[in-house]
Amino acid sequence: MSTSPPPVLRDLLDRYADVREQPARIRPSTWQNALIRVPESLEVTRLLTSRRFTTAVPGSKTHDHMVSRDGVRAACAAMNVDDTKEVLRTFVLAMAWASGLGGGRYQANTARAILDPARAFRVLSDAAKALRHAGSMRDGALEEVHRWWSLPGVGQSYASKWWALAGRAEGRDWQPLVLDDRVYATLNDTLRIGGTARLAGSRRRADRYRAYVETVHRWAVDLQLAGHDVDAGRIEFVLFHHNGGAPPSR
Protein backbone atom coordinates (compact mmCIF):
# COMPACT_ATOMS: atom_id res chain seq x y z
CA MET A 1 0.00 0.00 0.00
CA SER A 2 1.03 3.64 -0.37
CA THR A 3 3.13 4.93 2.51
CA SER A 4 2.38 8.58 1.76
CA PRO A 5 0.59 10.46 4.55
CA PRO A 6 -3.19 10.06 4.10
CA PRO A 7 -4.81 13.42 3.21
CA VAL A 8 -7.04 13.14 6.28
CA LEU A 9 -3.93 13.12 8.47
CA ARG A 10 -3.04 16.56 7.18
CA ASP A 11 -6.58 17.66 8.07
CA LEU A 12 -6.20 16.28 11.58
CA LEU A 13 -2.88 18.04 12.08
CA ASP A 14 -4.51 21.30 11.00
CA ARG A 15 -7.51 20.73 13.28
CA TYR A 16 -5.33 20.18 16.33
CA ALA A 17 -2.60 22.65 15.45
CA ASP A 18 -3.23 24.68 18.60
CA VAL A 19 -3.85 21.70 20.90
CA ARG A 20 -1.00 20.76 23.19
CA GLU A 21 -0.66 17.83 25.52
CA GLN A 22 -1.49 18.80 29.08
CA PRO A 23 0.14 17.43 32.23
CA ALA A 24 -1.76 14.63 33.94
CA ARG A 25 -3.16 15.02 37.42
CA ILE A 26 -2.29 12.06 39.63
CA ARG A 27 -3.32 11.03 43.14
CA PRO A 28 -0.38 9.34 44.85
CA SER A 29 -2.50 7.97 47.70
CA THR A 30 -4.59 5.80 45.38
CA TRP A 31 -1.43 4.36 43.84
CA GLN A 32 -0.01 3.67 47.28
CA ASN A 33 -3.17 1.74 48.14
CA ALA A 34 -3.17 -0.15 44.84
CA LEU A 35 0.47 -1.19 45.21
CA ILE A 36 0.31 -2.06 48.91
CA ARG A 37 1.33 -5.69 48.27
CA VAL A 38 4.61 -4.64 46.65
CA PRO A 39 7.47 -4.77 49.18
CA GLU A 40 7.51 -1.47 51.07
CA SER A 41 11.29 -1.31 50.96
CA LEU A 42 11.17 -0.65 47.20
CA GLU A 43 9.20 2.60 47.68
CA VAL A 44 7.75 2.20 44.21
CA THR A 45 5.50 5.28 44.50
CA ARG A 46 8.31 7.57 45.58
CA LEU A 47 8.56 9.50 42.29
CA LEU A 48 4.84 10.35 42.31
CA THR A 49 5.62 13.16 44.74
CA SER A 50 9.10 14.00 43.47
CA ARG A 51 9.67 17.73 43.23
CA ARG A 52 12.13 17.01 40.44
CA PHE A 53 9.61 15.37 38.11
CA THR A 54 6.16 16.38 39.40
CA THR A 55 4.43 19.48 40.73
CA ALA A 56 2.14 19.55 43.76
CA VAL A 57 -1.38 20.86 43.06
CA PRO A 58 -1.87 23.93 45.28
CA GLY A 59 -4.65 23.51 47.82
CA SER A 60 -5.36 19.88 46.93
CA LYS A 61 -6.91 18.14 49.93
CA THR A 62 -5.92 14.78 48.45
CA HIS A 63 -2.33 15.92 47.85
CA ASP A 64 -2.55 15.52 44.09
CA HIS A 65 0.39 16.19 41.82
CA MET A 66 0.81 17.05 38.14
CA VAL A 67 3.21 15.23 35.85
CA SER A 68 3.92 15.88 32.18
CA ARG A 69 5.33 13.67 29.46
CA ASP A 70 8.53 15.71 29.69
CA GLY A 71 8.64 15.00 33.42
CA VAL A 72 8.41 11.26 32.80
CA ARG A 73 11.01 11.49 30.04
CA ALA A 74 13.34 13.29 32.44
CA ALA A 75 12.80 10.56 35.04
CA CYS A 76 13.55 7.90 32.44
CA ALA A 77 16.69 9.70 31.32
CA ALA A 78 17.86 9.97 34.94
CA MET A 79 17.01 6.34 35.72
CA ASN A 80 19.80 3.85 36.37
CA VAL A 81 18.62 0.94 34.24
CA ASP A 82 20.63 -1.47 36.42
CA ASP A 83 18.92 -0.40 39.66
CA THR A 84 15.75 -2.31 40.56
CA LYS A 85 14.26 0.44 42.71
CA GLU A 86 14.85 3.20 40.15
CA VAL A 87 13.40 1.16 37.28
CA LEU A 88 10.27 0.14 39.18
CA ARG A 89 9.69 3.67 40.50
CA THR A 90 10.03 5.14 37.05
CA PHE A 91 7.66 2.56 35.60
CA VAL A 92 5.03 3.45 38.22
CA LEU A 93 5.45 7.14 37.38
CA ALA A 94 5.01 6.38 33.67
CA MET A 95 1.84 4.39 34.31
CA ALA A 96 0.47 7.11 36.61
CA TRP A 97 1.09 9.73 33.93
CA ALA A 98 -0.58 7.56 31.31
CA SER A 99 -3.70 7.04 33.42
CA GLY A 100 -4.20 10.38 35.18
CA LEU A 101 -7.06 10.31 37.67
CA GLY A 102 -8.91 7.61 35.74
CA GLY A 103 -6.34 5.06 36.74
CA GLY A 104 -8.22 2.13 38.28
CA ARG A 105 -7.34 -0.32 35.53
CA TYR A 106 -3.81 1.03 35.19
CA GLN A 107 -3.29 0.70 38.94
CA ALA A 108 -4.57 -2.86 39.04
CA ASN A 109 -2.46 -3.92 36.06
CA THR A 110 0.63 -2.13 37.37
CA ALA A 111 0.19 -3.95 40.68
CA ARG A 112 0.01 -7.28 38.83
CA ALA A 113 3.07 -6.41 36.78
CA ILE A 114 5.38 -5.60 39.67
CA LEU A 115 4.12 -8.07 42.25
CA ASP A 116 7.21 -10.07 41.31
CA PRO A 117 9.72 -7.19 41.45
CA ALA A 118 12.70 -9.17 40.19
CA ARG A 119 10.89 -10.36 37.08
CA ALA A 120 9.41 -6.93 36.41
CA PHE A 121 12.83 -5.31 36.74
CA ARG A 122 14.40 -7.69 34.23
CA VAL A 123 11.71 -7.10 31.61
CA LEU A 124 11.55 -3.32 32.07
CA SER A 125 15.31 -2.85 32.21
CA ASP A 126 16.07 -5.15 29.28
CA ALA A 127 13.47 -3.39 27.13
CA ALA A 128 14.88 0.05 27.93
CA LYS A 129 18.44 -1.07 27.20
CA ALA A 130 17.57 -2.79 23.93
CA LEU A 131 15.58 0.14 22.58
CA ARG A 132 18.08 2.79 23.68
CA HIS A 133 20.88 0.93 21.91
CA ALA A 134 18.91 0.21 18.73
CA GLY A 135 20.69 1.66 15.72
CA SER A 136 17.76 1.81 13.33
CA MET A 137 14.09 0.94 13.08
CA ARG A 138 15.01 -2.08 11.00
CA ASP A 139 17.79 -3.63 13.08
CA GLY A 140 15.32 -5.94 14.79
CA ALA A 141 15.23 -4.35 18.24
CA LEU A 142 11.61 -3.18 18.01
CA GLU A 143 10.42 -6.63 16.99
CA GLU A 144 12.67 -8.40 19.48
CA VAL A 145 11.41 -6.41 22.47
CA HIS A 146 7.81 -6.83 21.36
CA ARG A 147 8.23 -10.61 21.02
CA TRP A 148 9.80 -11.35 24.38
CA TRP A 149 7.96 -8.71 26.42
CA SER A 150 5.94 -10.44 29.11
CA LEU A 151 4.51 -8.70 32.16
CA PRO A 152 1.15 -9.68 33.66
CA GLY A 153 -1.48 -7.08 32.80
CA VAL A 154 0.86 -5.03 30.62
CA GLY A 155 0.12 -5.68 26.97
CA GLN A 156 1.06 -3.55 24.00
CA SER A 157 -1.12 -0.54 24.90
CA TYR A 158 0.62 -0.10 28.25
CA ALA A 159 3.98 -1.52 27.24
CA SER A 160 4.42 0.81 24.28
CA LYS A 161 4.24 3.78 26.64
CA TRP A 162 7.24 2.38 28.50
CA TRP A 163 9.03 1.65 25.23
CA ALA A 164 8.45 5.20 23.99
CA LEU A 165 9.55 6.84 27.25
CA ALA A 166 12.25 4.56 28.66
CA GLY A 167 13.53 3.46 25.25
CA ARG A 168 14.15 7.00 24.04
CA ALA A 169 17.68 7.89 22.93
CA GLU A 170 18.39 11.62 22.71
CA GLY A 171 19.74 12.80 19.37
CA ARG A 172 18.51 9.78 17.41
CA ASP A 173 16.46 10.55 14.31
CA TRP A 174 13.72 8.13 15.35
CA GLN A 175 12.15 6.93 18.60
CA PRO A 176 9.78 4.14 19.68
CA LEU A 177 6.16 5.32 19.70
CA VAL A 178 2.99 4.61 21.66
CA LEU A 179 0.57 2.24 19.95
CA ASP A 180 -2.50 1.92 22.17
CA ASP A 181 -6.23 1.50 21.58
CA ARG A 182 -6.79 5.21 20.92
CA VAL A 183 -4.03 5.35 18.31
CA TYR A 184 -5.35 2.17 16.71
CA ALA A 185 -8.83 3.70 16.54
CA THR A 186 -7.62 6.71 14.59
CA LEU A 187 -5.44 4.65 12.28
CA ASN A 188 -8.26 2.26 11.44
CA ASP A 189 -11.48 4.26 11.80
CA THR A 190 -10.33 7.73 10.77
CA LEU A 191 -7.34 7.23 8.48
CA ARG A 192 -8.64 3.86 7.27
CA ILE A 193 -5.18 2.44 6.68
CA GLY A 194 -6.56 -1.10 6.55
CA GLY A 195 -4.82 -2.21 9.73
CA THR A 196 -1.21 -2.38 10.85
CA ALA A 197 -0.98 -5.88 9.34
CA ARG A 198 -1.34 -4.23 5.95
CA LEU A 199 1.45 -1.79 6.76
CA ALA A 200 3.72 -4.66 7.77
CA GLY A 201 2.68 -7.21 5.19
CA SER A 202 2.52 -9.57 8.15
CA ARG A 203 0.08 -10.57 10.87
CA ARG A 204 2.80 -10.93 13.50
CA ARG A 205 2.22 -8.28 16.13
CA ALA A 206 5.91 -7.51 16.51
CA ASP A 207 6.22 -6.84 12.77
CA ARG A 208 3.11 -4.70 12.88
CA TYR A 209 4.48 -2.56 15.70
CA ARG A 210 7.74 -1.96 13.84
CA ALA A 211 5.82 -1.09 10.66
CA TYR A 212 3.68 1.42 12.56
CA VAL A 213 6.74 3.15 14.04
CA GLU A 214 8.46 3.23 10.66
CA THR A 215 5.36 4.50 8.84
CA VAL A 216 4.70 7.35 11.27
CA HIS A 217 8.32 8.50 11.03
CA ARG A 218 8.11 8.32 7.23
CA TRP A 219 4.90 10.36 7.28
CA ALA A 220 6.66 12.95 9.42
CA VAL A 221 9.52 13.30 6.94
CA ASP A 222 7.12 13.60 4.00
CA LEU A 223 5.09 16.23 5.82
CA GLN A 224 8.23 18.17 6.77
CA LEU A 225 9.31 18.21 3.12
CA ALA A 226 5.87 19.59 2.28
CA GLY A 227 6.38 22.45 4.74
CA HIS A 228 4.62 21.12 7.85
CA ASP A 229 6.27 21.69 11.23
CA VAL A 230 5.63 18.20 12.59
CA ASP A 231 7.54 15.20 13.87
CA ALA A 232 6.58 11.60 14.60
CA GLY A 233 5.85 12.40 18.23
CA ARG A 234 3.38 15.07 17.23
CA ILE A 235 1.65 12.70 14.81
CA GLU A 236 1.39 10.09 17.59
CA PHE A 237 -0.21 12.68 19.90
CA VAL A 238 -2.76 13.71 17.26
CA LEU A 239 -3.66 10.09 16.55
CA PHE A 240 -4.12 9.51 20.29
CA HIS A 241 -6.03 12.73 20.88
CA HIS A 242 -8.48 12.15 18.02
CA ASN A 243 -9.29 8.64 19.29
CA GLY A 244 -10.94 7.36 16.13
CA GLY A 245 -13.40 10.20 15.69
CA ALA A 246 -14.93 11.22 12.39
CA PRO A 247 -12.60 12.77 9.80
CA PRO A 248 -12.57 16.58 9.77
CA SER A 249 -15.00 18.03 7.26
CA ARG A 250 -13.35 19.94 4.47
Side-chain angles (χ1 to χ4, degrees):
M1 66 172 294
S2 172
T3 56
S4 299
V8 69
L9 176 60
R10 301 170 192 262
D11 296 338
L12 287 178
L13 291 168
D14 289 342
R15 172 189 279 190
Y16 298 118
D18 296 326
V19 177
R20 294 292 178 266
E21 187 171 59
Q22 299 301 309
R25 184 165 179 156
I26 60 176
R27 189 157 295 158
S29 59
T30 63
W31 282 88
Q32 290 160 2
N33 290 336
L35 304 178
I36 197 166
R37 295 177 61 196
V38 179
E40 186 177 354
S41 61
L42 294 173
E43 298 181 291
V44 292
T45 61
R46 184 171 178 175
L47 293 188
L48 302 185
T49 55
S50 166
R51 286 185 291 179
R52 183 178 178 186
F53 305 121
T54 74
T55 304
V57 176
S60 171
K61 295 181 180 179
T62 49
H63 306 290
D64 293 356
H65 280 62
M66 303 296 291
V67 60
S68 65
R69 184 190 292 256
D70 284 344
V72 183
R73 279 179 178 166
C76 289
M79 170 182 70
N80 178 353
V81 293
D82 294 315
D83 186 292
T84 299
K85 290 182 180 180
E86 290 193 24
V87 170
L88 296 182
R89 291 168 184 173
T90 308
F91 176 64
V92 170
L93 179 66
M95 294 299 100
W97 163 79
S99 66
L101 289 180
R105 186 172 61 177
Y106 269 87
Q107 291 168 0
N109 286 336
T110 301
R112 288 178 60 198
I114 65 176
L115 196 55
D116 181 344
R119 175 187 176 185
F121 164 70
R122 287 194 300 272
V123 174
L124 294 166
S125 176
D126 287 352
K129 290 177 182 177
L131 293 172
R132 289 179 181 188
H133 294 136
S136 76
M137 288 177 280
R138 284 186 166 269
D139 71 357
L142 290 169
E143 295 97 326
E144 178 186 3
V145 169
H146 197 294
R147 279 194 297 269
W148 57 246
W149 177 274
S150 178
L151 275 183
V154 183
Q156 179 181 269
S157 283
Y158 295 177
S160 63
K161 294 177 174 67
W162 178 252
W163 302 339
L165 292 161
R168 182 180 180 84
E170 289 299 327
R172 188 169 57 189
D173 62 4
W174 67 275
Q175 305 293 348
L177 299 171
V178 173
L179 180 55
D180 63 8
D181 292 343
R182 293 174 63 101
V183 173
Y184 262 124
T186 302
L187 290 171
N188 294 328
D189 300 339
T190 310
L191 302 188
R192 299 188 180 280
I193 63 166
T196 52
R198 191 178 179 199
L199 293 178
S202 167
R203 297 204 62 80
R204 290 190 291 268
R205 289 174 63 83
D207 296 343
R208 289 158 61 185
Y209 176 69
R210 191 269 308 158
Y212 155 74
V213 172
E214 189 175 28
T215 297
V216 172
H217 279 86
R218 187 181 300 116
W219 286 347
V221 171
D222 288 348
L223 289 164
Q224 291 165 8
L225 292 173
H228 294 266
D229 183 14
V230 64
D231 61 13
R234 179 62 184 173
I235 294 174
E236 175 211 281
F237 167 73
V238 168
L239 297 176
F240 174 87
H241 186 76
H242 191 64
N243 192 24
S249 56
R250 294 197 172 191

